[in-house]
Amino acid sequence: MRSKNIVIWLLIIFALGIGGALWFTQANKQAQASQNALEASYQNHFFNLIENTENLDVLLGKTLASNSERQDIITFVTVWSLAEAARTNLDSMPLDTASMMRSNQYFAQLGDFCYSLAQKLAGDQEISDKEWEKIRELHQENRTIHKELRALLGLVQEKQLRLGSLRNMNNEMTSESREMLDGFGKLDERLQNEVPTLTYDGPFSDHVVNRKPRGLTGGNINKKEAEEIALRFAEKINKSGGLTAKITGEADGRIPSYSVTLQSKDGVQPALVMGISKKGGHVVFMLDVKEPSRASKVSVKKARERAEKFMSELGLGTFIETGHIIEASEIFINYALVQDNIVIYPDMIQVVVSLDSGRVSAYDTKKFLLSHTRRNLPQPKLTEAEARERVNKNLQIEDIRLALIPLGNLEEELTYEVKGKIGEETYYVYINTETGLQEKILLIVETPQGSRSI
Amino acid sequence: MKTKEFKIKLSIGILIVCFLGVSLLFNEFKEEEPILPVQGQIGEPRADDVWMISRMVAAESRGEPFTGQVAVASVIVNRVRDPKFPGTVNGVIYQPWAFSPIMDGAFWSVAPTENHLKAARYALNGWDPSYGSTFFWNPATATSKWVWSRRIITRIGKHVFGI
């Protein structure tokens, strides 16, 4: 009896052992397959990165040899899409963030710059000698990058380096993986030192990335004043009485600011957080930190009226609503400044009204502070009637008004904003008042939550 | 003999229980948490961005004040607009080794709260308590010394924000 018992137990242990071993082998195989699939994906991106830089080299060379502006437009737009693809390849490899920031910027700017040249050509403008010189430099730079990447690929092809080994939890590294990481690091450093700043008409241009705020008027304020400004602002949204203000931090960004937290003494009222600019004491943003509720007790109409009243009491000028969107139980409303009956789109302010309490619960004026200034707007050369002639014949025009729109390069253009329909879809078309050229088209998507323009 | 039969039955029983236990254990890994309703149609691409950013906020800023949560969300948004980083929200979030919640899988297992969703929405709408930062780190747990070479913009809760 005893021995039989032992046999049974041994059998059980044996079965469990076999099962465990089978499971382990299976799991191990699975883990290896996953790792290999990941490695394949990394290498796929590496090979694509090299192929893309190779094609970029060819295309940049062709623009230098070409004498057809029409073809140049196509080539420059292709450069833009290949440069963006190269950036995606680079970002999909397991490198150090530190050692790929400049390389990323290089590809982003190369594409963006060439796109701006394509736009120039499409707008019947000439590419300057200086800009051709930039293309020559970028062409040379691209060739060097390609050479360096090829050399690094040798580590994968000849020394069986796996890209997956470049990063690991315990920072253990073979000499090959060290070499690969250093290679990318050196490439990045060289770009940092050699490639000059690029100023052109695009959103990634250095002058756009490093823009200075235009609307920060006034002298510097101290902490005490910042607290007082915050308290006065709270009164505007009916949050007065029993509030205490405290500086909870400072920020040293594009708009140097104090962070002010407002707390009710009884602790019942939720706290507000505000950013107050050190220069001029402008409220940069305001946030109600209360957890949002799902309840909607206030109508959209009432909420918009509340926001309108709030905007008129700010004393920053006349504003017009340019759109709103409902998210959870809050309505986000966009306002643009109106000057001389012209909608100034760059000078935007956002207001949020809670559909639960009907109160203004958030406010953001960063865009306004960055761009606002008193502008000397030109008289439109084009008449309204002429602008109507310039839009697509299929567009059923519903409305037309003057609007100043921001371009990607911080410049602004006075346009006629033509609102119209093609079938069920609403479009905004912008016609330059100077040249009569179409500057931009926006599609308006109506959703139950509001409209979005894309 | 009855006891012997009983013992065999018992051992088979134990085996089955063990087997069930093990498979239950595996099922637990596969168990899906309820995902918040997300609709993405043309014109609403941000629904996906809110989904992604709110998960990162939930994983990265547990116990942080709401402003700190919006700041973490805005670091992601600021990266998207910065030519030094990937150009899309998913590009920034899934960049290999960029965020620890992706590496340890917390990104997929967290349950974002209403506040996390709100933080993501506010950052996507332009609110930025990080004042343009593209990095954040917790001085108590940061493993990389390199982050300290960045220019510090502000501090909120336990996090340092910089560019």
Side-chain angles (χ1 to χ4, degrees):
Chain A
M1 283 300 271
R2 257 197 101 72
S3 62
K4 271 193 181 167
N5 267 348
I6 289 168
V7 169
I8 288 167
W9 281 113
L10 276 176
L11 270 172
I12 291 169
I13 290 165
F14 184 68
L16 280 175
I18 293 272
L22 276 174
W23 172 79
F24 182 78
T25 330
Q26 202 53 39
N28 201 31
K29 266 190 190 162
Q30 173 66 34
Q32 265 186 1
S34 299
Q35 261 186 28
N36 289 336
L38 186 62
E39 180 63 25
S41 159
Y42 288 155
Q43 293 198 10
N44 190 13
H45 280 292
F46 198 4
F47 279 101
N48 275 335
L49 175 62
I50 287 175
E51 196 183 314
N52 282 326
T53 48
E54 213 167 279
N55 290 334
L56 281 169
D57 184 280
V58 173
L59 289 175
L60 288 170
K62 281 184 182 174
T63 64
L64 290 169
S66 154
N67 196 28
S68 155
E69 293 187 343
R70 260 190 242 185
Q71 213 161 35
D72 286 348
I73 295 177
I74 298 166
T75 316
F76 280 134
V77 173
T78 315
V79 167
W80 165 69
S81 81
L82 283 187
E84 277 302 304
R87 185 152 81 109
T88 307
N89 296 146
L90 187 68
D91 291 331
S92 307
M93 289 168 59
L95 302 166
D96 252 333
T97 314
S99 63
M100 52 199 297
M101 282 163 69
R102 191 59 185 86
S103 316
N104 247 304
Q105 191 188 11
Y106 167 80
F107 285 118
Q109 285 191 332
L110 170 66
D112 198 26
F113 175 53
C114 287
Y115 192 86
S116 81
L117 295 183
Q119 267 183 321
K120 261 194 157 177
L121 291 176
D124 274 340
Q125 282 175 281
E126 287 231 330
I127 296 181
S128 70
D129 290 344
K130 235 180 160 179
E131 284 163 336
W132 280 121
E133 189 47 46
K134 279 261 156 71
I135 291 288
R136 250 184 294 277
E137 281 174 35
L138 289 167
H139 184 219
Q140 281 309 313
E141 194 53 63
N142 196 75
R143 183 154 293 184
T144 317
I145 292 175
H146 179 248
K147 223 180 279 167
E148 287 168 332
L149 289 175
R150 270 241 162 267
L152 290 173
L153 184 66
L155 290 169
V156 175
Q157 289 177 322
E158 281 138 37
K159 302 200 174 159
Q160 278 83 45
L161 167 69
R162 288 172 68 101
L163 297 172
S165 73
L166 293 183
R167 303 287 298 268
N168 56 54
M169 301 305 285
N170 25 354
N171 281 325
E172 277 167 14
M173 230 157 274
T174 63
S175 63
E176 280 90 9
S177 40
R178 191 69 273 161
E179 206 179 325
M180 176 73 86
L181 280 180
D182 284 350
F184 275 100
K186 273 183 201 137
L187 195 158
D188 206 74
E189 225 178 282
R190 195 178 51 69
L191 288 173
Q192 181 73 47
N193 298 331
E194 283 179 12
V195 179
T197 52
L198 269 175
T199 304
Y200 56 93
D201 293 351
F204 291 150
S205 167
D206 287 310
H207 80 287
V208 180
V209 174
N210 303 317
R211 72 190 289 195
K212 295 263 175 297
R214 281 199 300 208
L216 274 189
T217 49
N220 287 337
I221 59 156
N222 60 34
K223 291 183 177 178
K224 189 92 203 69
E225 285 167 318
E227 288 171 356
E228 282 161 11
I229 289 166
L231 283 170
R232 274 205 303 279
F233 193 83
E235 279 172 24
K236 289 193 181 132
I237 58 164
N238 309 354
K239 282 242 177 171
S240 55
L243 282 175
T244 52
K246 207 175 81 192
I247 302 278
T248 44
E250 289 182 37
D252 182 26
R254 191 149 301 154
I255 303 177
S257 304
Y258 294 112
S259 303
V260 186
T261 301
L262 296 177
Q263 190 76 54
S264 63
K265 277 174 195 143
D266 53 9
V268 177
Q269 265 197 324
L272 291 175
V273 175
M274 283 185 218
I276 313 279
S277 73
K278 291 183 180 177
K279 187 172 177 335
H282 303 275
V283 178
V284 184
F285 73 88
M286 187 264 293
L287 270 177
D288 192 330
V289 302
K290 194 181 142 200
E291 176 126 4
S293 74
R294 285 273 171 198
S296 294
K297 296 175 199 145
V298 181
S299 71
V300 170
K301 186 167 167 284
K302 275 260 156 54
R304 285 165 73 190
E305 281 167 10
R306 176 70 194 95
E308 199 133 318
K309 184 165 170 286
F310 167 77
M311 285 304 292
S312 66
E313 285 167 1
L314 279 178
L316 293 174
T318 314
F319 287 84
I320 188 167
E321 184 189 320
T322 60
H324 67 263
I325 194 106
I326 299 163
E327 303 214 76
S329 62
E330 290 178 314
I331 178 165
F332 289 69
I333 309 172
N334 285 332
Y335 287 95
L337 184 74
V338 179
Q339 183 194 318
D340 312 330
N341 287 320
I342 298 167
V343 185
I344 312 291
Y345 275 110
D347 292 4
M348 288 272 257
I349 289 181
Q350 273 191 102
V351 179
V352 179
V353 178
S354 157
L355 293 174
D356 181 21
S357 68
R359 278 209 180 107
V360 172
S361 58
Y363 170 71
D364 188 76
T365 171
K366 188 180 64 214
K367 277 187 188 160
F368 182 84
L369 292 176
L370 283 173
S371 73
H372 179 63
T373 179
R374 174 79 204 178
R375 296 165 174 87
N376 289 318
L377 297 167
Q379 278 296 318
K381 269 190 191 164
L382 208 70
T383 64
E384 204 184 285
E386 283 170 325
R388 283 174 185 269
E389 291 297 307
R390 296 284 184 148
V391 298
N392 187 310
K393 296 285 168 276
N394 295 325
L395 193 78
Q396 298 291 318
I397 299 174
E398 290 182 342
D399 199 9
I400 181 164
R401 62 181 177 185
L402 282 168
L404 190 78
I405 59 166
L407 302 180
N409 59 352
L410 293 189
E411 277 173 31
E412 297 164 346
E413 204 79 72
L414 185 61
T415 62
Y416 282 105
E417 180 183 67
V418 188
K419 184 186 178 191
K421 272 197 162 168
I422 293 183
E424 285 300 297
E425 308 215 296
T426 304
Y427 291 90
Y428 279 85
V429 180
Y430 297 87
I431 305 290
N432 192 316
T433 57
E434 186 83 16
T435 61
L437 292 174
Q438 177 182 300
E439 289 283 349
K440 193 155 74 173
I441 299 185
L442 293 176
L443 165 68
I444 308 300
V445 179
E446 299 284 351
T447 68
Q449 286 78 38
S451 57
R452 287 179 198 276
S453 56
I454 46 175
Chain B
M1 280 316 266
K2 272 213 169 138
T3 49
K4 186 187 159 195
E5 247 174 62
F6 172 73
K7 271 180 185 166
I8 291 169
K9 275 181 187 164
L10 184 72
S11 20
I12 291 169
I14 289 170
L15 256 176
I16 291 169
V17 167
C18 280
F19 183 75
L20 281 179
V22 169
S23 49
L24 252 179
L25 206 72
F26 278 96
N27 271 332
E28 208 176 36
F29 287 120
K30 284 190 210 152
E31 194 182 309
E32 279 178 34
E33 60 170 290
I35 295 170
L36 288 144
V38 184
Q39 288 139 20
Q41 51 175 327
I42 291 174
E44 289 188 276
R46 288 195 329 186
D48 298 335
D49 295 345
V50 170
W51 181 84
M52 253 178 272
I53 296 177
S54 63
R55 280 180 171 263
M56 195 51 87
V57 171
E60 284 280 16
S61 48
R62 200 164 304 150
E64 289 295 302
F66 179 66
T67 328
Q69 294 178 0
V70 181
V72 163
S74 46
V75 163
I76 296 164
V77 176
N78 290 335
R79 282 192 176 192
V80 175
R81 295 190 186 129
D82 190 326
K84 296 188 191 78
F85 296 93
T88 57
V89 171
N90 45 305
V92 165
I93 286 191
Y94 297 127
Q95 186 175 15
W97 294 85
F99 292 102
S100 59
I102 295 289
M103 304 320 291
D104 62 25
F107 177 81
W108 293 279
S109 62
V110 288
T113 64
E114 282 291 333
N115 255 346
H116 297 140
L117 290 161
K118 183 179 166 186
R121 283 196 298 266
Y122 270 81
L124 283 163
N125 275 306
W127 272 259
D128 182 8
S130 83
Y131 289 88
S133 294
T134 45
F135 290 93
F136 66 89
W137 65 96
N138 183 339
T141 55
T143 47
S144 157
K145 284 190 193 109
W146 174 83
V147 289
W148 288 105
S149 69
R150 311 310 306 170
R151 185 159 82 87
I152 292 171
I153 297 287
T154 192
R155 291 164 195 265
I156 305 170
K158 290 192 191 76
H159 284 137
V160 179
F161 294 84
I163 50 171

